[in-house]
Amino acid sequence: MSFIIPQLLTKQEVDEVIRKTEDVVLVLRFGREKDVTCMQLDHILSKLIPELKKMAAIYTVDVDSIPVYTRYFDITLIPSTIFFFNAQHIKVDWGTPDHTKFIGSFKTKQDFIDVVEMIFRGAMKGKVMIKSPLDQENIPKYDLVYKDI
């Protein structure tokens, strides 16, 4: 399904999309094309591209192709979904230790729609931290492991 979702292949492409995407939520899915969980998420995202075109722009980024962003956003678990609005990184309080990204796949299409709508409404009001609209049962649980401390 990732062939339906536009893929960013270089750092310059990612930089340009972040800078030029205005007045809609920019969704960057970091992962690998052949990963099963990434494929599940891509299936959901691809079905929602036409439905959310006035509210969101969705792209995939391969973690191996652009390691500078993989390190910058500390992407160690995939898929990781990061949100922007008007070149501003939007953080979401998922009830997990990391507010910078959503790790894992969304359970349903409606979960993703709810998140994008909440981010869009909050960002239009100037918020950079949004409270997650998802039920805690639908958010994957994980523990942060710090390396080299």
Side-chain angles (χ1 to χ4, degrees):
M1 282 299 158
S2 65
F3 61 88
I4 297 172
I5 305 169
Q7 186 174 26
L8 303 174
L9 301 172
T10 65
K11 180 187 180 302
Q12 291 76 18
E13 288 179 352
V14 175
D15 292 341
E16 186 175 331
V17 165
I18 290 171
R19 273 195 313 273
K20 293 188 176 187
T21 303
E22 295 181 345
D23 299 328
V24 295
V25 176
L26 173 61
V27 179
L28 298 180
R29 191 278 290 150
F30 285 82
R32 291 187 182 94
E33 195 172 319
K34 303 282 187 203
D35 182 77
V36 175
T37 310
C38 291
M39 286 191 241
Q40 290 171 343
L41 180 56
D42 289 351
H43 180 74
I44 291 171
L45 297 179
S46 65
K47 290 181 180 276
L48 293 174
I49 287 175
E51 193 172 325
L52 294 173
K53 68 182 175 188
K54 293 183 180 180
M55 199 180 307
I58 302 170
Y59 294 89
T60 63
V61 179
D62 188 280
V63 292
D64 299 320
S65 298
I66 311 175
V68 66
Y69 276 115
T70 303
R71 284 189 309 273
Y72 182 76
F73 290 116
D74 191 29
I75 296 171
T76 53
L77 299 172
I78 59 171
S80 292
T81 308
I82 299 176
F83 302 92
F84 292 87
F85 189 83
N86 291 342
Q88 174 71 46
H89 182 196
I90 303 296
K91 296 176 176 80
V92 180
D93 182 1
W94 305 106
T96 63
D98 190 357
H99 301 315
T100 60
K101 58 193 164 280
F102 183 85
I103 297 174
S105 180
F106 292 90
K107 299 273 189 218
T108 65
K109 291 185 337 183
Q110 190 59 48
D111 284 349
F112 184 75
I113 292 169
D114 292 345
V115 168
V116 169
E117 284 180 351
M118 188 66 76
I119 290 172
F120 183 78
R121 289 183 185 148
M124 290 296 280
K125 295 177 185 176
K127 295 182 179 180
V128 293
M129 180 70 145
I130 310 294
K131 177 93 170 101
S132 170
L134 301 181
D135 185 11
Q136 286 298 310
E137 293 175 5
N138 291 345
I139 298 173
K141 302 294 182 229
Y142 59 90
D143 291 321
L144 291 180
V145 177
Y146 296 99
K147 298 177 186 175
D148 302 326
I149 294 182

